[in-house]
């Protein structure tokens, strides 16, 4: 394909391969590589925010979890042994293909149960790994910094062509953020970093979660943000562009019970951080979308439904703020579900 540099195809010995784009995800550019009609590899151009050394972290984590019995995509080196190719427009890497299907939204609570159970197995498998990351993204889930950036744009962006459209959204997000619940002090662990549902690979029947994909966001982090982001993605059945976004109770319950079925070992602070983490991450993402509505430089967007990235960013910012408000409104319900699940996961086996 013309958008893949020849040097990349040559490095990975993909000349003449059958290549099809995978139109899932907002950041990386992803392609499926087939041989004789059978998918074999996944080729990705990582967003420029990533350094190529992130591939070394992926390789270490994948090797470790595979030794613990978990399915995972593995890094494929170039003909001359390099873990990635830098063509000037971002690092390119090649991964083994994990058979199965990918969801863009959860429709059945059993899928949430399975996805969460796999996440808990992943965290458990990594609990004994001591790893110093070669690449880290600065400011990831620095909620205060994202909000400060939004506040600055609100104050200084008065001459922006879309200021009148952006300002009310920014003001609403900042107002909600002023009363975000505090996050309990909790230990950091190696986390996936982006547990949106499209990064969970299911089997062909969509009844078993078999692998976590896109391991470029791996880092040391807290479960408050890790599970909060998962719940943000999984429980909002309307998707990131739904103005009246809200969590689905059955999906939330199934996800928490699925995680608790494996993750009983997590400590009290980690459990207590799940619900405030959910609200915080939704607010943070609302702020990030609102920032991009001014800067017009980061997130991918749906040109078939929106006239510009800025327009789509505004819709998504409104949606994530609605989700954060819904979490706050029914916080007692979500917290009771967490308490019940971790009090006795064996009693919740019917959610499978």
């Amino acid at each position: 394909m013309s958008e893949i540099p020849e040097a990349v195809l040559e490095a990975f010995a993909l000349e003449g391969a059958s290549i099809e784009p995978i139109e899932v995800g907002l950041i990386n550019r992803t392609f499926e590589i087939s041989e004789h009609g059978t998918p074999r590899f996944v080729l990705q151009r990582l967003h420029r925010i990533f350094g190529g050394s992130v591939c070394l972290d992926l390789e270490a984590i994948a090797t470790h979890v595979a030794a613990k019995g978990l399915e995972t995509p593995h890094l494929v080196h170039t003909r001359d042994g390099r873990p990635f190719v830098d063509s000037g427009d971002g690092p390119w890497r090649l991964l083994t293909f994990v058979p199965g299907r990918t969801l863009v939204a959860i429709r059945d609570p059993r899928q949430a149960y399975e996805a969460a159970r796999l996440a808990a197995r992943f965290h458990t498998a990594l609990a004994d790994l001591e790893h110093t990351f070669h690449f880290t993204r600065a400011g990831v889930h620095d909620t205060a910094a994202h909000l400060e950036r939004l506040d600055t744009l609100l104050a200084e962006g008065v001459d922006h062509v879309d200021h009148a459209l952006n300002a009310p959204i920014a003001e609403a997000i900042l107002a909600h953020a002023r009363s975000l619940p505090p996050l309990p002090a909790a230990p950091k662990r190696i986390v996936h970093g982006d547990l949106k549902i499209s990064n969970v690979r299911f089997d062909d029947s969509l009844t078993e979660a078999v692998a976590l994909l896109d391991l470029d966001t791996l880092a040391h982090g807290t479960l408050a943000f890790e599970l909060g982001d998962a719940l943000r993605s999984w429980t909002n059945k309307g998707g990131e562009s739904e103005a009246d976004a809200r969590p689905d109770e059955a999906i939330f319950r199934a996800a928490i019970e699925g995680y608790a079925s494996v993750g009983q070992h997590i400590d009290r602070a980690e459990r207590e951080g799940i619900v405030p983490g959910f609200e915080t991450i939704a607010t943070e993402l609302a702020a990030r979308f609102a920032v991009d509505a001014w800067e017009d430089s980061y997130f991918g967007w749906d040109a078939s439904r929106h006239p510009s990235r800025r327009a789509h960013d505004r819709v998504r910012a409104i949606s994530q703020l609605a989700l954060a408000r819904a979490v706050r409104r029914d916080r007692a319900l979500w917290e009771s579900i967490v308490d019940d699940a971790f009090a006795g996961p064996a009693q919740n086996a019917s959610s499978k």
Side-chain angles (χ1 to χ4, degrees):
M1 300 181 68
S2 59
E3 60 183 301
I4 304 176
E6 284 296 325
V8 172
L9 296 175
E10 292 173 3
F12 290 113
L14 297 176
E15 305 98 321
S18 175
I19 303 176
E20 294 292 336
I22 298 175
E23 302 294 346
V24 175
L26 299 180
I27 304 300
N28 299 329
R29 193 73 177 96
T30 306
F31 303 87
E32 182 179 286
I33 313 296
S34 298
E35 293 181 356
H36 307 296
T38 301
R40 292 288 309 280
F41 305 104
V42 171
L43 178 67
Q44 285 189 312
R45 185 196 68 196
L46 301 181
H47 192 280
R48 58 182 178 274
I49 63 171
F50 295 106
S53 59
V54 71
C55 297
L56 304 178
D57 297 317
L58 180 155
E59 193 164 38
I61 300 299
T63 300
H64 187 83
V65 298
K68 297 292 184 75
L70 270 67
E71 179 72 56
T72 183
H74 289 276
L75 195 70
V76 178
H77 287 227
T78 63
R79 282 170 160 160
D80 57 1
R82 289 174 291 163
F84 65 93
V85 175
D86 193 340
S87 65
D89 60 347
W92 289 81
R93 70 175 177 209
L94 189 66
L95 302 169
T96 55
F97 180 84
V98 178
R101 296 171 64 184
T102 298
L103 294 170
V104 295
I106 286 179
R107 301 302 179 194
D108 186 330
R110 289 174 297 180
Q111 295 165 345
Y113 185 99
E114 282 295 316
R117 186 172 181 275
L118 175 62
R121 292 178 61 210
F122 185 81
H123 294 151
T124 301
L126 290 172
D128 64 344
L129 176 63
E130 295 185 6
H131 177 71
T132 300
F133 283 87
H134 296 85
F135 174 84
T136 56
R137 292 181 297 154
V140 176
H141 296 320
D142 187 340
T143 307
H146 291 300
L147 293 167
E148 182 179 357
R149 178 61 181 158
L150 181 58
D151 196 30
T152 299
L153 288 169
L154 177 63
E156 299 180 354
V158 293
D159 294 328
H160 191 280
V161 63
D162 283 349
H163 180 78
L165 297 172
N166 294 344
I169 301 170
E171 290 167 352
I173 294 168
L174 293 168
H176 183 89
R178 291 188 192 104
S179 53
L180 279 173
L183 297 176
K188 287 194 172 183
R189 59 172 69 237
I190 296 177
V191 296
H192 179 278
D194 188 16
L195 285 179
K196 61 190 176 188
I197 197 57
S198 59
N199 282 340
V200 180
R201 191 68 159 167
F202 285 83
D203 64 3
D204 287 334
S205 67
L206 295 177
T207 58
E208 181 183 358
V210 296
L212 298 181
L213 308 179
D214 275 0
L215 305 182
D216 45 75
T217 51
L218 290 159
H220 287 100
T222 64
L223 285 188
F225 283 112
E226 176 86 332
L227 297 184
D229 196 33
L231 293 166
R232 180 202 63 79
S233 166
W234 302 353
T235 67
N236 178 17
K237 294 175 71 175
E240 289 181 345
S241 298
E242 176 60 49
D244 187 27
R246 58 188 182 276
D248 180 278
E249 181 181 342
I251 291 176
F252 182 95
R253 187 182 301 276
I256 296 300
E257 291 175 0
Y259 194 90
S261 71
V262 174
Q264 276 290 301
H265 59 280
I266 70 172
D267 68 24
R268 184 179 184 86
E270 289 180 306
R271 299 178 191 182
E272 292 178 348
I274 293 173
V275 175
F278 186 178
E279 182 182 349
T280 299
I281 198 71
T283 306
E284 178 185 298
L285 188 55
R288 291 178 62 198
F289 282 135
V291 164
D292 204 40
W294 260 289
E295 297 183 339
D296 191 20
S297 64
Y298 186 73
F299 291 105
W301 57 285
D302 186 350
S304 68
R305 299 180 59 191
H306 303 277
S308 66
R309 187 201 322 267
R310 295 193 304 272
H312 196 177
D313 279 332
R314 281 190 291 273
V315 169
R316 293 184 290 200
I318 291 169
S319 176
Q320 291 304 295
L321 177 58
L323 186 63
R325 286 171 168 168
V327 176
R328 178 176 297 181
R329 183 175 60 246
D330 295 321
R331 183 189 302 175
L333 169 63
W334 314 124
E335 290 179 343
S336 69
I337 292 172
V338 172
D339 290 343
D340 289 347
F342 282 96
Q347 299 173 11
N348 298 316
S350 62
S351 293
K352 282 188 174 183

